[in-house]
Amino acid sequence: DRVLKAIAGYAHDNLRRYDQVFRYGGEEFVLLLPNTTIINAKRVLDRVRRSIKRHRIKIGKGHSLRVSASFGVAVLPAEGPVKDAIEYADKAMYEAKKAGRNRVCVWQPDDNPKGGG
């Protein structure tokens, strides 16, 4: 729980005041970045990813650890269902993990995730 709270905090600290962070299940979060291009979303999430990796998270009894995060980015079209955007972002996140973790991948409109670290 401490790790998840810390990650949510690092994400929140690197976002605009009107961006939102939601826990989506297990160890997954959805970050909602309204009025953001996909290119800027990748930049923001790269900043969040680096912030998470830099910080030691205190887990109690004098122990701490560092964690990494993988992100998938997708556009939420005005006319499309939210579940589709989450599915595409999820696919991009798994591509990020498959490519070595600690990176951001973007789901492109041609259904082809692209990314980097």
Side-chain angles (χ1 to χ4, degrees), residues 2 57-65:
R2 289 183 180 141
I57 300 170
K58 294 178 183 173
I59 56 172
K61 297 185 180 181
H63 298 285
S64 65
L65 55 88

Side-chain angles (χ1 to χ4, degrees), residues 11-88:
H12 182 266
D13 291 347
N14 282 278
L15 299 176
R16 301 167 297 190
R17 63 181 173 79
Y18 53 86
D19 294 332
Q20 297 181 8
V21 178
F22 302 95
R23 186 161 178 199
Y24 189 65
E27 299 172 346
E28 293 183 359
F29 293 89
V30 170
L31 282 65
L32 182 60
L33 311 174
N35 302 314
T36 305
T37 65
I38 201 143
I39 292 167
N40 284 337
K42 184 177 186 310
R43 287 182 188 140
V44 167
L45 294 176
D46 272 330
R47 186 175 61 235
V48 170
R49 178 186 60 77
R50 287 189 305 271
S51 175
I52 290 168
K53 184 72 174 165
R54 257 192 322 268
H55 289 88
R56 289 189 133 341
I57 300 170
K58 294 178 183 173
I59 56 172
K61 297 185 180 181
H63 298 285
S64 65
L65 55 88
R66 289 188 182 178
V67 298
S68 64
S70 298
F71 292 90
V73 180
V75 172
L76 174 59
E79 69 284 349
V82 172
K83 70 178 184 71
D84 287 354
I86 290 173
E87 179 184 325
Y88 297 147

Side-chain angles (χ1 to χ4, degrees), residues 65-112:
L65 55 88
R66 289 188 182 178
V67 298
S68 64
S70 298
F71 292 90
V73 180
V75 172
L76 174 59
E79 69 284 349
V82 172
K83 70 178 184 71
D84 287 354
I86 290 173
E87 179 184 325
Y88 297 147
D90 198 47
K91 287 179 181 182
M93 181 196 60
Y94 281 105
E95 283 298 317
K97 288 182 175 187
K98 191 167 82 173
R101 300 181 181 268
N102 193 36
R103 63 188 64 235
V104 178
C105 282
V106 175
W107 188 263
Q108 297 293 345
D110 65 353
D111 294 341
N112 190 8

